[in-house]
Amino acid sequence: MVLAKTMNDSKLYYTPPSDECFEDLKKSAISLWSTMGDEPSYSKEKIGRIKDIANIKDNFMYMFAMFDINNQRKVGASIRDETREAINERLVSGGSPEYLLL
């Protein structure tokens, strides 16, 4: 899959997606964080950072970037196609290699 750049470099990274994509990623991220960590406080801290986060600037990618590559793939498998596409567009815009796309 090769996605065309739709904005100049990092500008897209800081552009909020649709509210539907944002909420889809947020729900998936919270769900995954809920299953992680040996200490409950670890998950609580991560969930606390995103549970009331607004769909502004780069918050969409901030939620995604909180995960390592393996967990990013898990999130990618649990979100809608439109949300996955929005993430991939931003990754490409920022110069990420194709093997890191969802």
Side-chain angles (χ1 to χ4, degrees):
M1 164 195 331
V2 177
L3 301 171
K5 290 187 179 185
T6 57
M7 292 190 169
N8 293 338
D9 299 327
S10 64
K11 286 184 183 179
L12 182 58
Y13 189 94
Y14 295 96
T15 303
S18 70
D19 287 338
E20 293 81 13
C21 287
F22 184 83
E23 291 301 323
D24 185 35
L25 177 59
K26 184 186 214 178
K27 179 182 173 186
S28 179
I30 289 172
S31 177
L32 184 56
W33 280 122
S34 296
T35 67
M36 297 173 63
D38 294 330
E39 293 184 36
S41 62
Y42 180 77
S43 294
K44 279 185 176 181
E45 177 189 336
K46 299 296 185 179
I47 292 169
R49 289 184 186 180
I50 62 175
K51 72 175 183 151
D52 295 323
I53 199 169
N55 187 14
I56 58 171
K57 300 185 180 181
D58 65 338
N59 284 348
F60 181 64
M61 293 305 289
Y62 168 75
M63 287 190 292
F64 182 71
M66 289 173 72
F67 293 104
D68 63 27
I69 185 68
N70 294 323
N71 287 309
Q72 286 178 347
R73 298 235 185 262
K74 287 180 185 177
V75 167
S78 69
I79 54 179
R80 298 176 317 134
D81 290 342
E82 296 88 349
T83 307
R84 190 175 310 104
E85 184 177 319
I87 290 170
N88 284 337
E89 288 173 343
R90 284 158 178 77
L91 291 172
V92 167
S93 176
S96 291
E98 191 170 321
Y99 69 87
L100 291 177
L101 301 181
L102 302 176

